[in-house]
Amino acid sequence: ATIKTVTACKLLELCRDDLIAVMGEDVSVSGRMMELLNLRGRPCHIDDVVITNRVAPENTTITILKNPKYYTYFQLSPEGLFVWERLDGQHTLRDIALDYLATFKSFAPHTIAETIGRLSAAGFLTDKKISSDVQEIFSQVPFWKRMLMGVKKIVEYREMWKNVDKTFTKLYQKGFWLFYTWPAQIVMAAIAVIGVVVFAREHLDFPHTLSQFSGGPFFFIALVVAFLFSIFVHELGHAFTTKAFGREVLGMGVGLYWFGPMAFVDTSDMWLAPRLQRIAVTAAGPYTNLVLAGVASLGALFISNSHVQLG
C-alpha cells in the first residue's frame, strides 16, 4: 500500500519470508492471515450448478444446490441464496455484508463468512490461488487433532463404492419395481401387521425362554448372519425407493460405527424431491425390516424346531 505519514516515523519492513516464518510458528497468526484473505477475496461460485427450489412446511422457500460433477448438495435459506447470488468474483465479503444489511436490516458478516466457508468446503466455489508454501501452512493440523482424527477413522471406518446407480436402475427395471405396485404394497403391509400380532401372541414369554436357552455356536453364527442380512435389506429399501421416485443412488458402502457393523446408501439426490417422497425414502428402511420380521414371525408358526423359532 502507498501511504503518507503526517509525522516522522520509523517503519518496520516485513518481507514475505518473515510473514511465512511467523505463520509457521504461531497458529493464531496464520488464522488471522486466512481471515484477512477471506475478507479481501472475491469468492466466485462454480458453473453448471443445478438449482432447485421447494417450499418448506413453514411456507419459506428452500434452495438446493447440486454439483453434477461431484454429486454434492447444499441447502440454502433465502438469506443464503442472497449470498450465493453475489458470489460472482466481483464482490468482497464487505460488499456482500453491506448489501445484506440493506436488504435484511441485519449486519451479519460472521454468518456470511460461515456460509461462504461451508460452500467452499462442499466444492461449490472456485479454488483460491494461494501459493503452495502458504497453503501448506494453512493446512497444518495440531497433533491432538490429528490423533482424534486417527481414532475416529478407526471407530468410524467406511468403505464406499460410487457409480452404483446404473446397477440399481437395472435391478429396479428387471423386477424390483413390482414391490412398488399397489398389490405388492397391500400384501407387504398385511404381512407386517399380521406378523406383529402373531409375535405378540406367541412370544410374550420370550425373555423367559431366552434365559433358559443354550444354543450352540452355529446358532449364534446364524443369528449374526441374519442380523447382517437385515441391515443389507434395510439399505436396499432406501435405495430402491429412491429409484421408484426417479432419483439417483449416488453410492453404497459398509463399515464400522464404534466397532458395530453397518451398511449405507447415499440417497442425497432425494434432497431435490418433494417432502413426502423424502419421508417415504427415510421410512423405507425400517418398513422393509418390519416386513422381513413379519415374514420370520409367520414362518415360525409352521416350524417346530425351537432353535429356529427363537431365532
Side-chain angles (χ1 to χ4, degrees):
T2 299
I3 62 172
K4 183 181 292 185
T5 63
V6 294
T7 60
C9 296
K10 291 184 177 180
L11 302 181
L12 174 64
E13 181 182 1
L14 292 177
C15 299
R16 182 178 187 275
D17 292 341
D18 299 326
L19 286 175
I20 291 179
V22 175
M23 288 165 58
E25 296 175 359
D26 193 331
V27 177
S28 63
V29 174
S30 60
R32 180 56 179 159
M33 290 299 297
M34 178 58 84
E35 289 180 8
L36 289 174
L37 283 176
N38 289 333
L39 286 171
R40 298 184 179 185
R42 290 175 169 80
C44 183
H45 59 65
I46 60 175
D47 298 326
D48 302 324
V49 173
V50 178
I51 301 177
T52 303
N53 294 316
R54 56 181 171 83
V55 180
E58 56 273 16
N59 292 324
T60 59
T61 300
I62 294 177
T63 301
I64 306 295
L65 308 179
K66 175 182 177 179
N67 184 335
K69 182 177 181 181
Y70 298 108
Y71 289 101
T72 53
Y73 299 79
F74 201 91
Q75 181 173 296
L76 293 172
S77 64
E79 292 81 4
L81 179 61
F82 180 88
V83 174
W84 167 263
E85 291 172 343
R86 281 154 182 77
L87 301 180
D88 54 5
Q90 303 297 321
H91 295 80
T92 64
L93 177 60
R94 177 181 179 276
D95 299 331
I96 298 173
L98 291 177
D99 290 346
Y100 190 96
L101 174 62
T103 303
F104 298 102
K105 311 304 179 186
S106 174
F107 186 64
H110 289 88
T111 301
I112 296 171
E114 181 183 357
T115 300
I116 294 175
R118 290 191 293 116
L119 283 166
S120 178
F124 285 90
L125 302 184
T126 56
D127 294 332
K128 296 178 179 178
K129 295 180 180 179
I130 302 177
S131 30
S132 58
D133 53 351
V134 177
Q135 186 63 48
E136 183 178 352
I137 294 174
F138 286 152
S139 61
Q140 288 179 356
V141 180
F143 175 76
W144 65 272
K145 283 189 176 181
R146 292 200 302 270
M147 287 289 294
L148 288 178
M149 291 167 63
V151 172
K152 184 177 181 181
K153 286 182 179 179
I154 295 174
V155 300
E156 296 183 4
Y157 172 76
R158 291 188 176 192
E159 188 69 33
M160 183 173 179
W161 300 278
K162 296 185 177 181
N163 302 319
V164 299
D165 185 67
K166 291 182 179 180
T167 301
F168 278 109
T169 300
K170 289 180 180 179
L171 290 173
Y172 180 80
Q173 293 173 346
K174 287 182 179 295
F176 277 91
W177 64 271
L178 292 171
F179 288 99
Y180 295 89
T181 60
W182 278 111
Q185 288 294 315
I186 292 173
V187 171
M188 288 192 294
I191 291 174
V193 173
I194 297 173
V196 170
V197 174
V198 169
F199 181 85
R201 292 184 58 183
E202 301 294 330
H203 300 281
L204 291 177
D205 60 342
F206 177 73
H208 175 70
T209 304
L210 186 61
S211 65
Q212 297 180 338
F213 181 73
S214 56
F218 291 106
F219 172 76
F220 287 104
I221 292 174
L223 281 184
V224 171
V225 172
F227 172 69
L228 295 177
F229 177 72
S230 69
I231 295 177
F232 177 71
V233 172
H234 177 104
E235 297 306 322
L236 287 183
H238 292 308
F240 285 116
T241 306
T242 299
K243 297 310 303 178
F245 291 122
R247 297 293 177 178
E248 297 180 74
V249 178
L250 305 180
M252 64 179 299
V254 296
L256 297 174
Y257 185 76
W258 288 91
F259 306 108
M262 71 169 185
F264 61 91
V265 292
D266 186 351
T267 60
S268 301
D269 201 46
M270 289 302 300
W271 276 30
L272 307 181
R275 181 167 176 253
L276 291 179
Q277 292 184 7
R278 300 197 310 274
I279 293 175
V281 169
T282 301
Y287 179 67
T288 303
N289 286 133
L290 187 61
V291 174
L292 188 63
V295 172
S297 183
L298 291 173
L301 288 177
F302 304 98
I303 299 176
S304 58
N305 188 299
S306 61
H307 287 193
V308 177
Q309 286 180 335
L310 186 61

